[in-house]
Amino acid sequence: LKNPIENEYQRIVREHGNAVHGYTIKDVAQILKDTGRYRSVSMSRKGNAITLPNNRMCIPDVVCCQSNSIEYYEVECGNHHQSDFNDKCNKLKSITQNLYFVTQNKETAENRLKPQIEKWIASCGREQLRFAGVTVYLTSISDLAMQKWSYVFDMKNEQPICIENDTTNTEQEGET
């Protein structure tokens, strides 16, 4: 007896824990592909897995390769406990200076992710992150489609740079 073939929905739920998270990752990957800025865009958990010291793993949701750089995107639904979120950020910080977070809507970005990012920054120390050159970018999927970041935490200021209402010059903001 053959095992039934796994459909896309089943695979996405298995790989990403739930359908909302998985399909949001798929949408984010497509938006990033459509920008034409990347040689490749991957949402493969296996392909995106990075082994860290002490046999820890970092598996970014979307990995985008340019000719001389790699960008790692995390799709967040705002369900993580702070300690798990901090752990995820610390893993990302060990592989990149730019942490990119995308969430399904502006409310989740504003009410869930922004406070979690601020708590993570406080736990690390803003000065240490600034010295390490870390910048955190946060946006909703709709703003990502317009190539705009809702918040940029540059570690120079107490508050993130809010690009919510600025439609001029936003493309440069996301490129570093």
Side-chain angles (χ1 to χ4, degrees), residues 92-103:
L92 286 167
K93 182 174 66 91
S94 72
I95 61 169
T96 185
Q97 290 179 306
N98 295 314
L99 282 61
Y100 298 106
F101 290 100
V102 183
T103 189

Side-chain angles (χ1 to χ4, degrees), residues 19 27 31 51 53-54 56 59 62 72 98 111 122-123 125 129 133 143 167 170:
D27 290 346
I31 289 167
T51 305
N54 304 330
R56 289 165 43 90
I59 309 175
V62 182
Y72 304 96
N98 295 314
N111 300 326
S123 77
L129 292 173
D143 279 354
T167 53
T170 51

Side-chain angles (χ1 to χ4, degrees), residues 59-166:
I59 309 175
D61 291 322
V62 182
V63 176
C64 300
C65 296
Q66 292 175 305
S67 53
N68 58 354
S69 67
I70 301 175
E71 293 177 358
Y72 304 96
Y73 289 80
E74 280 299 321
V75 173
E76 287 297 316
C77 298
N79 306 333
H80 281 298
H81 290 289
Q82 189 65 44
S83 59
D84 295 335
F85 184 79
N86 288 0
D87 188 48
K88 176 183 284 216
C89 290
N90 289 332
K91 287 177 181 179
L92 286 167
K93 182 174 66 91
S94 72
I95 61 169
T96 185
Q97 290 179 306
N98 295 314
L99 282 61
Y100 298 106
F101 290 100
V102 183
T103 189
Q104 66 266 60
N105 57 51
K106 291 180 184 194
E107 293 72 32
T108 303
E110 171 79 29
N111 300 326
R112 296 224 186 123
L113 269 298
K114 184 176 171 275
Q116 283 197 307
I117 291 167
E118 288 167 341
K119 286 177 187 158
W120 174 71
I121 290 169
S123 77
C124 293
R126 186 176 306 280
E127 278 304 303
Q128 286 87 329
L129 292 173
R130 190 173 66 78
F131 185 72
V134 172
T135 304
V136 182
Y137 299 86
L138 171 62
T139 197
S140 63
I141 195 164
S142 57
D143 279 354
L144 181 71
M146 293 187 286
Q147 297 190 26
K148 120 182 171 175
W149 294 101
S150 308
Y151 301 99
V152 177
F153 300 82
D154 66 358
M155 308 307 157
K156 294 179 185 100
N157 303 294
E158 281 296 314
Q159 292 298 311
I161 299 163
C162 182
I163 312 173
E164 206 56 52
N165 302 321
D166 180 13

